[in-house]
Amino acid sequence: MSELRQDRTSGRWVIIAPQRGRRPHPGDRRTRSAPRPAFDPDCPFCPGNETELPGIVAETPGEDAPGWRVRVVPNKFPALQQHPSPPPDTGHTARAGYGFHEVIIESPRHNADPATMSAGQRLAAVTACRDRSRALLEQPGIETAVVFRNHGARAGASLAHPHAQIIALGLVPPRLAAMSAWSRGYLHEHGRCPTCEELEIECRSGTRVVEQSDGFVALVPFAAEHPFEVWIVPRDHQASFTEPDAGELAAFGEMLARSLRRLDGALDHPSWKFVVDSAPKQDLGAPHFHWRLRLVPEAATWGGFELGAAMVINPSSPEQAADTLRAVRVDQ
Ligand SMILES: [Zn+2]
Ligand SMILES: [Zn+2]
């Protein structure tokens, strides 16, 4: 079967072509086959190596003071800077690279894994991500804060110590801008947030739902761009990742961890990435924008067609991916 599918929440079209069929490549198993130590003397994120850090932005105190549980630090090699030089006038369109690039160190333990760390540790980590999103969106000139994470060497993680990142910048990146414009138009035309409508349809059919709780739904989207892509979406309308309260964050973190364990079970510990699509400042509190986390294992590098078309061929069936993920036992 080949199908062109449109994602109701963004307007993006995807080619679903499972006959090209292959599962993602087996994962980077080094992290599993060679267990890491709890402390690495050469790791800048491990406790005691603070001199390697460019600074400390925020800390969550540990259960046993004086330690820390989660630490936020500036990225040592930032994509954007707080005090960039203005670009030279060359006749091209350019702006100073103003923004923030921070690292959320999710645990003092070098070998902690977000799929299996304690619920308290996980809650502290996702809370730090929410709090930094709030704080950075309040900075002057900042329009968007993007939380993301790379896991495993094949996903581009350069340091093994568990960490997420956040980049805040002074414009709305094209993908979020398109999603904002699309969902605004959808609300105008249909009177509903497209993601709220999509969740209702998906939960009714259940075909692509991986699991659901009172607060969140994990699903393989109808127009998934990548094999085994999973979204975690708040069931009630929320525009921004700055909105969930402590209870919601705890439920979100647990669903994320179970989804990671499902991927570990289904794909034998793949590398993965996630990104949080959250409302830019212009859409905070908006009735059309609905945040979600997108989790993508083993994201393929784009080939020529994707480069040209900015449209993806997904060589797998979203329905079969959901079946496989549902079948993995994740209770610990
Ligand atoms: Zn470390
Ligand atoms: Zn909604």
Side-chain angles (χ1 to χ4, degrees), residues 167-198:
I167 287 182
L169 66 169
L171 55 73
V172 183
R175 186 171 172 123
L176 284 181
M179 194 172 149
S180 168
W182 168 266
S183 53
R184 185 189 300 273
Y186 193 96
L187 178 78
H188 185 73
E189 194 173 330
H190 301 275
R192 286 202 77 183
C193 157
T195 302
C196 284
E197 184 165 18
E198 186 73 356

Side-chain angles (χ1 to χ4, degrees), residues 87-238:
D89 183 5
T90 57
H92 295 285
T93 302
R95 291 161 61 172
Y98 166 70
F100 297 80
H101 189 171
E102 297 179 349
V103 175
I104 294 96
I105 305 172
E106 295 165 341
S107 165
R109 293 174 61 88
H110 189 74
N111 59 357
D113 184 328
T116 53
M117 65 176 52
S118 74
Q121 187 68 44
R122 194 178 300 112
L123 176 59
V126 295
T127 301
C129 290
R130 180 203 61 183
D131 290 349
R132 290 313 298 161
S133 298
R134 286 179 177 172
L136 291 174
L137 279 169
E138 285 170 5
Q139 294 292 317
I142 291 301
E143 297 297 331
T144 313
V146 180
V147 173
F148 64 100
R149 198 188 192 292
N150 305 320
H151 175 87
R154 289 172 57 130
S158 49
L159 281 165
H161 198 115
H163 66 283
Q165 302 182 61
I166 182 166
I167 287 182
L169 66 169
L171 55 73
V172 183
R175 186 171 172 123
L176 284 181
M179 194 172 149
S180 168
W182 168 266
S183 53
R184 185 189 300 273
Y186 193 96
L187 178 78
H188 185 73
E189 194 173 330
H190 301 275
R192 286 202 77 183
C193 157
T195 302
C196 284
E197 184 165 18
E198 186 73 356
L199 281 182
E200 195 177 294
I201 292 168
E202 289 298 289
C203 288
R204 203 186 303 137
S205 97
T207 314
R208 284 165 296 271
V209 172
V210 177
E211 67 168 270
Q212 44 185 318
S213 67
D214 288 347
F216 291 88
V217 180
L219 57 92
V220 179
F222 171 72
E225 291 183 299
H226 304 279
F228 289 86
E229 176 175 349
V230 174
W231 291 0
I232 298 174
V233 193
R235 196 186 272 281
D236 292 333
H237 183 83
Q238 279 185 346

Side-chain angles (χ1 to χ4, degrees), residues 258-299:
R258 284 195 300 274
S259 298
L260 293 173
R261 296 203 290 273
R262 289 182 196 280
L263 288 181
D264 282 347
L267 303 175
D268 194 8
H269 297 258
S271 295
W272 48 261
K273 307 173 190 191
F274 72 58
V275 63
V276 179
D277 293 327
S278 179
K281 191 182 273 180
Q282 65 182 30
D283 290 327
L284 289 177
H288 59 270
F289 202 104
H290 192 133
W291 75 270
R292 84 284 318 264
L293 176 138
R294 275 190 291 134
L295 172 62
V296 177
E298 299 291 336

